[in-house]
Amino acid sequence: MAVLDVNPTRMELIKIKERIALAKKGHKLLKQKRDALILEFFKILKKAQNLRGELGVKMKEGYAAVYLAGTYHPVWELGSVSLNLRKDIDIDIEVKNVMGVKIPYLTTQMESKHFMELPTYSVASTSAKIDQTVEKFDDILKLVIKLAESETAMKKLIVEIEKTKRRVNALEFVLIPQLEETKFMISFRLDEMERDSFVSLKAIKRQLEKKKKEKGNN
């Protein structure tokens, strides 16, 4: 691990110790943030999995209803009905704060009016088979919108989790070890300089005592 290019002084040692304390505090906070984001992700993932399972069941029922309706009506008639069943969908973006991270959530609102109340849907010219098919796909559309909301939030969370994980790893495996190595190097050099100074002072003291003795003998 490469050490930082600093002068081995006591002032630099104090600064390095402060940086280590700050880096460790930041590392702890980032880990808490990462854990909170992961917890939020799995909470939404569970919801999305349930929605996917429900959607799978509904889709099978929906396609079975389409097949049954197709035995009573030509394809062009079913296509014409489906094109006339348009509903307004409003999309809003809400922001939720998770450990200081703003996660955007896609919120959609579909027109709540029943398909039979739509002016473009003719009850008189359709059969019960088409009515059942439309009702099933009306439920499917609502589920698809809910699933889209959950998966949009999950995608945003994954980006934030990866970003936070990279920062945690950079602190844990690069910066903090580098600072610790630098602190050790400065401490070692300071101790070495103190030993050299002590040896030099002892040598000077011996020389002074020797000169003093020599003067006393004269």
Side-chain angles (χ1 to χ4, degrees):
M1 179 65 65
V3 297
L4 299 176
D5 186 18
V6 293
N7 293 322
T9 63
R10 294 204 174 275
M11 184 57 69
E12 285 296 338
L13 183 60
I14 292 168
K15 287 180 183 178
I16 289 293
K17 285 180 178 179
E18 288 174 350
R19 285 185 67 185
I20 290 171
L22 187 63
K24 285 182 176 178
K25 185 179 178 182
H27 178 257
K28 183 181 176 182
L29 290 172
L30 282 171
K31 279 183 75 176
Q32 288 174 350
K33 180 170 128 179
R34 180 199 62 191
D35 294 344
L37 291 171
I38 290 172
L39 189 66
E40 184 72 13
F41 173 81
F42 279 109
K43 199 191 313 181
I44 298 171
L45 177 63
K46 187 177 180 182
K47 180 183 173 184
Q49 286 173 335
N50 292 336
L51 285 169
R52 283 193 199 111
E54 191 179 351
L55 182 61
V57 173
K58 294 284 184 184
M59 287 295 288
K60 284 181 182 178
E61 292 175 357
Y63 283 124
V66 169
Y67 177 77
L68 185 61
T71 61
Y72 288 87
H73 300 273
V75 174
W76 66 265
E77 189 178 346
L78 295 177
S80 177
V81 171
S82 66
L83 289 172
N84 288 328
L85 288 172
R86 294 181 181 178
K87 285 191 176 184
D88 293 330
I89 300 175
D90 293 326
I91 299 174
D92 294 318
I93 296 177
E94 295 179 2
V95 176
K96 184 177 178 181
N97 195 311
V98 181
M99 287 295 292
V101 179
K102 291 180 179 178
I103 305 296
Y105 284 80
L106 178 69
T107 306
T108 56
Q109 299 240 341
M110 190 172 71
E111 190 178 349
S112 59
K113 191 181 288 185
H114 194 271
F115 68 90
M116 286 190 177
E117 298 173 4
L118 294 172
T120 54
Y121 189 79
S122 175
V123 179
S125 62
T126 58
S127 68
K129 298 291 184 289
I130 290 180
D131 295 344
Q132 289 169 8
T133 303
V134 171
E135 190 165 8
K136 288 186 181 297
F137 275 91
D138 201 41
D139 292 339
I140 287 169
L141 180 57
K142 290 172 186 174
L143 279 173
V144 167
I145 289 170
K146 285 181 182 177
L147 185 58
E149 292 170 8
S150 298
E151 294 199 342
T152 300
M154 283 166 58
K155 285 176 185 177
K156 297 293 181 183
L157 280 166
I158 287 170
V159 171
E160 291 297 333
I161 289 167
E162 286 302 317
K163 196 186 296 182
T164 306
K165 278 174 69 178
R166 283 196 297 271
R167 289 174 180 169
V168 168
N169 290 339
L171 284 170
E172 187 173 344
F173 300 111
V174 180
L175 185 59
I176 292 174
Q178 191 177 47
L179 289 170
E180 292 282 7
E181 189 71 21
T182 303
K183 185 185 83 170
F184 175 79
M185 183 274 292
I186 293 173
S187 298
F188 180 79
R189 289 289 296 126
L190 287 173
D191 289 343
E192 197 175 52
M193 285 189 284
E194 280 184 9
R195 285 193 296 272
D196 290 344
S197 296
F198 179 74
V199 171
S200 297
L201 285 171
K202 288 206 75 171
I204 291 168
K205 187 178 178 182
R206 282 197 299 270
Q207 287 178 2
L208 289 172
E209 286 175 352
K210 184 179 178 182
K211 287 181 181 179
K212 189 176 178 182
K213 282 181 183 179
E214 287 174 354
K215 284 181 181 179
N217 292 332
N218 293 333

